[in-house]
């Protein structure tokens, strides 16, 4: 009991800690500087009161109201009167809130991610936006515009995010939603036989392209009669002229490869020639029409579909109705990944396009989303994200003649900076192949093929290790992780395994065209004993088209401190009067007034509800 009394005394002492002499000095330098020092003093008191606990409750929760000060007048020399205006709200910043209510198990990096808002101002399309963050393992609900939503981990790493978005999008007060996962800072993989990359905060594992025979990747930047390649070093029939164009070189290479040899090709315009194929495959991805918010809550305009109709059957022209992305594209992307991994010099331009339905601004944004959808498909197969240069063409393509929905322009396309021929086996001899002419080169040659070693997997992320000696297939890897790495939520999609660590922070940005203030609250949940369960929700500030409004950023987590970001002018709780007589004397007085009702209610709520 004596100790508790001492703790109360410490709380009382905190309320008296204001350096008046320093304030006087600041007064001489200017009222604004003095006010800043008073504000900083008030914030320091809040921090101390929130940290000091008695019987498991902070002094702040137990009713110690911080002292706030503001100048009501100041007379200097000629009796010039200056009235200082009070700030309209108490806005300590979300980072300070997490520091003061650090009971969610967030690391420093996670706190920074949760409090950062890339939508500090909204576009003309929306009145407001607001963010809510979770740990991926979160099981309790959050209320958005009165409706409850939660993450469904059993759906899989990608599907649980899509499912959350789809359900929220069905809320009539929500116009759009976007997700973001905290970037993984460090990951190490010692395997070359399996591709491991990080895309949108998830660890992506895919099977590498494997060839056990001689392989050469020949990069062509210049055509002409002086440029040749001798694929087996013998001269004669194995010499291929790089003249006059890609089609001629490809045909010549096929004629000279011989035996069991194979020849593949990529053009700088984004075409893939499979071995012995008579027509090229377009490397572009096509998308469904983006209704933004359809009746199922799904966002279709930048979602990747394979072997699924992406045209609109309601539109009469045949090309629009029949367009789809063949699953064979995934094989082409797998081989392209090997080309780009071995070519360290060139950037890949990825362009997103739209048809003319929709506004210019909307289609520019949609074009960007489509470009990144294709980039993510390639990056998930082991290509470094730094290899890509995204751009949005929106609806600017001159061939478009109308505002009709047209799938032919709803796509993302690839442009390379060179053409490539890939030789495999047959007459190709990696140790003997030579090049005549300095402009073209082999960016890769090996008698052992590509990724022909043991398909072992060793991925280290933080304190988590995924280690598999014999990864015979992606299915083998998936089953191994399910059995041995319970800290991950995983899902296999389009021949890529996506891993999301349960400690990762997932953030959702919610947008509204109608509301100036989006209502997001933590939904209370209870265990079998009737005790309120903890959550990892972190609800950000409400941002609208006019201002950034400080709003509730804490959850209903038990033993939480009060909601620091509530829109409250707490500085009315104390006033500080100061006068100056000429240059010789100064006087000051403190005037205590009751705190505003909103401030009292927050303190009371924090005590009575156990927040």
């Amino acid at each position: 009991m004596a100790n508790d009394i001492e703790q109360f005394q410490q709380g009382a002492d905190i309320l008296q800690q204001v350096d008046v002499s320093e304030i006087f000095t600041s007064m001489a330098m200017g009222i604004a500087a003095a006010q800043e020092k008073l504000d900083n003093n008030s914030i320091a008191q809040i921090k101390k009161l929130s940290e000091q606990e008695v019987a498991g409750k902070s002094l702040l929760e137990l009713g110690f109201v911080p002292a706030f000060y503001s100048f009501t007048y100041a007379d200097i020399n000629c009796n010039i009167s200056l009235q200082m205006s009070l700030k309209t709200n108490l806005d300590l910043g979300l980072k300070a809130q997490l520091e003061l209510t650090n009971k969610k198990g967030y690391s420093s990096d996670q706190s920074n991610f949760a409090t950062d808002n890339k939508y500090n101002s909204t576009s003309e399309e929306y009145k407001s936006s607001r963010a809510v963050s979770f740990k991926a393992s979160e099981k309790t609900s959050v209320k958005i515009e009165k409706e409850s939503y939660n993450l469904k981990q059993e759906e899989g790493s990608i599907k649980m995010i899509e499912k959350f978005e789809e359900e929220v999008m069905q809320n009539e007060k929500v116009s759009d939603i976007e997700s973001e996962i905290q970037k993984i800072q460090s990951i190490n993989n010692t395997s070359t036989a399996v591709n491991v990359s990080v895309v949108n905060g998830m660890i992506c594992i895919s099977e590498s392209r494997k060839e056990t025979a001689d392989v050469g990747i020949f990069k062509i930047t210049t055509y002409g009669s002086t440029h040749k390649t001798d694929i087996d070093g013998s001269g004669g029939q194995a010499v291929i002229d790089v003249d006059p164009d890609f089609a001629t070189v490809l045909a010549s290479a096929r004629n000279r490869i011989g035996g069991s040899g194979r020849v593949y090709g990529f053009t700088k315009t984004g075409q893939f020639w499979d071995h012995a194929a008579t027509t090229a495959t377009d490397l572009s991805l096509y998308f469904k029409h983006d209704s933004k918010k359809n009746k199922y809550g799904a966002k279709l305009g930048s979602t990747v579909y394979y072997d699924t109709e992406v045209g609109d059957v309601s539109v009469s022209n045949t090309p629009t109705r029949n367009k789809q992305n063949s699953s064979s594209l995934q094989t082409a992307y797998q081989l392209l990944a090997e080309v780009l991994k071995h070519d360290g010099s060139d950037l890949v331009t990825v362009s997103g396009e739209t048809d003319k339905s929709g506004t210019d601004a909307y289609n520019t944004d949609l074009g960007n989303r489509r470009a990144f959808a294709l980039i993510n498909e390639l990056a998930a197969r082991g290509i470094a994200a730094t290899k890509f240069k995204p751009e949005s063409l929106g609806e600017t393509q001159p061939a478009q003649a109308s505002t009709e929905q047209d799938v032919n322009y709803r796509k993302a396309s690839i442009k390379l900076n060179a053409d490539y021929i890939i030789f495999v086996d047959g007459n190709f001899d990696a140790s003997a192949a030579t090049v005549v002419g300095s402009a073209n080169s082999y960016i890769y040659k090996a008698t052992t093929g590509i990724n022909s070693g043991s398909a072992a997997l060793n991925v280290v992320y933080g304190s988590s290790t995924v280690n598999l000696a014999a990864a015979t297939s992606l299915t083998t890897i998936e089953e191994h992780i399910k059995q041995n790495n319970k800290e991950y939520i995983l899902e296999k999609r389009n021949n890529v395994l996506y891993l999301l660590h349960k400690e990762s922070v997932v953030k959702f940005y919610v947008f509204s065209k109608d509301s100036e203030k989006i209502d997001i609250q933590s939904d209370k949940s209870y265990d079998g004993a009737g005790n309120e369960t903890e959550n990892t929700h972190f609800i950000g500030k409400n941002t609208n088209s006019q201002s950034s409004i400080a709003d509730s950023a804490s959850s209903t987590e038990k033993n939480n401190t009060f909601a620091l970001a509530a829109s409250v002018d707490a500085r009315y709780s104390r006033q500080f009067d100061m006068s100056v007589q000429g240059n010789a004397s100064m006087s000051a007085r403190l005037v205590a007034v009751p705190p505003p009702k909103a401030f009292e209610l927050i303190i009371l709520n924090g005590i009575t509800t156990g927040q």
Side-chain angles (χ1 to χ4, degrees):
M1 181 66 180
N3 185 55
D4 285 351
I5 293 174
E6 290 176 2
Q7 302 284 16
F8 273 101
Q9 184 59 48
Q10 290 180 21
D13 291 340
I14 291 171
L15 300 182
Q16 304 304 318
Q17 292 175 3
V18 55
D19 190 342
V20 176
S21 64
E22 186 170 339
I23 293 172
F24 283 170
T25 302
S26 297
M27 183 73 175
M29 295 185 296
I31 297 298
Q35 184 66 59
E36 182 180 0
K37 290 182 178 293
L38 287 168
D39 293 344
N40 291 340
N41 181 81
S42 300
I43 292 172
Q45 287 188 9
I46 290 179
K47 188 173 188 301
K48 289 181 181 179
L49 290 170
S50 68
E51 293 173 342
Q52 188 68 55
E53 291 189 352
V54 178
K57 295 283 187 180
S58 73
L59 294 175
L60 201 58
E61 291 177 295
L62 292 171
F64 280 85
V65 179
F68 293 87
Y69 307 89
S70 184
F71 290 102
T72 57
Y73 68 88
D75 298 324
I76 302 178
N77 289 336
C78 300
N79 296 319
I80 298 174
S81 180
L82 175 65
Q83 179 71 40
M84 296 300 295
S85 62
L86 296 177
K87 294 188 176 181
T88 58
N89 57 54
L90 174 60
D91 182 4
L92 302 183
L94 292 178
K95 292 182 181 179
Q97 295 159 30
L98 262 186
E99 182 182 353
L100 299 182
T101 60
N102 189 20
K103 297 183 180 181
K104 300 176 185 297
Y106 280 54
S107 68
S108 175
D109 288 341
Q110 289 172 331
S111 298
N112 290 335
F113 174 75
T115 56
D116 181 55
N117 187 351
K118 64 182 180 180
Y119 296 102
N120 287 321
S121 61
T122 55
S123 66
E124 294 180 0
E125 187 177 357
Y126 305 109
K127 279 191 176 180
S128 60
S129 69
R130 197 172 189 184
V132 56
S133 300
F134 306 83
K135 290 285 187 68
S137 57
E138 178 62 69
K139 290 183 171 59
T140 61
S141 300
V142 64
K143 280 189 175 180
I144 300 177
E145 294 293 349
K146 313 304 181 186
E147 299 292 334
S148 295
Y149 306 97
N150 68 300
L151 297 175
K152 299 175 174 61
Q153 289 84 1
E154 67 278 4
E155 297 281 357
S157 54
I158 299 178
K159 187 60 180 177
M160 79 170 188
I161 294 174
E162 291 178 343
K163 192 79 171 177
F164 186 90
E165 290 180 340
E166 289 173 7
E167 291 178 354
V168 173
M169 284 283 283
Q170 294 179 59
N171 191 310
E172 62 180 13
K173 294 185 178 181
V174 174
S175 303
D176 195 14
I177 184 171
E178 289 187 14
S179 60
E180 184 181 12
I181 303 172
Q182 183 188 9
K183 292 181 180 178
I184 295 174
Q185 300 300 318
S186 177
I187 186 170
N188 179 48
N189 174 47
T190 59
S191 172
T192 59
V194 177
N195 292 320
V196 180
S197 56
V198 177
V199 178
N200 291 340
M202 293 194 192
I203 300 172
C204 300
I205 302 175
S206 62
E207 295 182 52
S208 303
R209 175 71 177 223
K210 295 178 177 60
E211 296 288 353
T212 57
D214 286 47
V215 170
I217 302 175
F218 186 49
K219 179 178 179 180
I220 306 172
T221 57
T222 302
Y223 292 89
S225 59
T226 61
H227 298 281
K228 306 175 188 295
T229 176
D230 184 351
I231 63 173
D232 68 357
S234 65
Q237 293 299 313
V239 175
I240 298 171
D241 293 329
V242 186
D243 180 39
D245 52 37
F246 180 83
T248 304
V249 176
L250 181 66
S252 179
R254 287 176 168 177
N255 287 335
R256 290 168 169 75
I257 192 65
S260 60
R262 288 165 283 139
V263 176
Y264 305 89
F266 289 98
T267 69
K268 63 178 65 176
T269 55
Q271 303 290 312
F272 170 64
W273 290 86
D274 202 352
H275 172 60
T278 56
T279 58
T281 298
D282 182 4
L283 294 175
S284 299
L285 274 179
Y286 290 83
F287 299 89
K288 294 188 177 183
H289 183 259
D290 191 26
S291 57
K292 197 67 172 182
K293 181 179 180 179
N294 67 10
K295 64 181 180 180
Y296 303 109
K299 296 166 62 179
L300 308 177
S302 55
T303 302
V304 177
Y305 298 90
Y306 292 103
D307 292 333
T308 300
E309 185 69 59
V310 295
D312 304 293
V313 295
S314 60
V315 180
S316 59
N317 72 59
T318 302
T320 301
R321 296 181 63 180
N322 297 335
K323 189 74 71 175
Q324 70 177 39
N325 302 307
S326 170
S327 58
S328 63
L329 263 179
Q330 298 174 56
T331 302
Y333 292 157
Q334 185 189 55
L335 185 55
L336 180 62
E338 294 304 320
V339 171
L340 296 177
K341 280 191 290 184
H342 290 99
D343 189 350
S345 59
D346 284 344
L347 285 176
V348 180
T349 300
V350 181
S351 306
E353 299 180 35
T354 73
D355 60 28
K356 287 197 172 184
S357 59
T359 65
D360 290 353
Y362 180 83
N363 285 335
T364 297
D365 174 69
L366 179 56
N368 271 318
R369 287 195 280 123
R370 287 174 175 167
F372 278 102
L374 178 49
I375 288 173
N376 290 342
E377 281 292 297
L378 297 171
R381 288 163 173 80
I383 309 173
T386 53
K387 295 289 295 183
F388 301 107
K389 178 185 176 183
E391 66 176 13
S392 175
L393 301 178
E395 58 180 52
T396 62
Q397 294 308 286
Q400 296 193 55
S402 71
T403 58
E404 183 182 67
Q405 296 178 19
D406 190 341
V407 73
N408 292 291
Y409 299 102
R410 299 202 298 266
K411 65 179 180 179
S413 305
I414 297 172
K415 291 181 181 178
L416 307 173
N417 288 331
D419 295 329
Y420 300 87
I421 299 286
I422 299 95
F423 300 98
V424 181
D425 206 5
N427 291 330
F428 183 78
D429 185 340
S431 61
T434 58
V435 178
V436 177
S438 60
N440 305 317
S441 63
Y442 282 98
I443 58 172
Y444 179 80
K445 287 195 303 179
T447 57
T448 55
I450 301 176
N451 304 317
S452 57
S454 173
L457 180 67
N458 184 26
V459 177
V460 180
Y461 166 47
S463 59
S464 172
T465 301
V466 179
N467 196 311
L468 183 58
T472 56
S473 67
L474 205 58
T475 301
T476 304
I477 297 173
E478 181 180 14
E479 291 304 316
H480 173 84
I481 294 173
K482 285 180 178 179
Q483 295 298 320
N484 300 282
N485 299 90
K486 304 292 187 182
E487 66 271 28
Y488 287 103
I489 302 166
L490 68 161
E491 180 179 348
K492 186 167 67 176
R493 180 176 291 196
N494 300 332
N495 292 323
V496 177
L497 191 60
Y498 293 87
L499 276 63
L500 179 62
H501 199 282
K502 291 181 178 179
E503 285 298 299
S504 295
V505 179
V506 183
K507 186 191 302 183
F508 294 93
Y509 296 96
V510 183
F511 301 87
S512 176
K513 291 183 179 179
D514 305 314
S515 175
E516 287 282 358
K517 183 177 180 182
I518 300 172
D519 182 26
I520 304 180
Q521 304 175 28
S522 289
D523 199 4
K524 294 182 180 180
S525 58
Y526 302 90
D527 60 21
N531 299 312
E532 189 177 338
T533 57
E534 294 183 306
N535 63 60
T536 62
H537 304 154
F538 190 83
I539 304 169
K541 292 180 183 179
N542 193 89
T543 302
N544 61 28
S545 55
Q546 289 144 7
S547 64
S548 178
I549 301 174
D551 208 337
S552 177
S554 66
S555 67
T556 55
E557 180 188 11
K558 64 180 181 180
N559 294 329
N560 203 2
T561 55
F562 78 116
L564 285 175
S567 297
V568 171
D569 186 358
R571 285 178 176 79
Y572 276 115
S573 61
R574 295 289 188 275
Q575 290 186 349
F576 180 67
D577 289 358
M578 175 179 286
S579 64
V580 178
Q581 302 293 328
N583 291 324
S585 63
M586 299 182 184
S587 63
R589 58 193 172 98
L590 286 171
V591 179
V593 297
K597 289 295 182 183
F599 188 83
E600 289 180 336
L601 287 173
I602 288 175
I603 297 293
L604 182 62
N605 188 50
I607 296 172
T608 58
T609 64
Q611 287 187 359

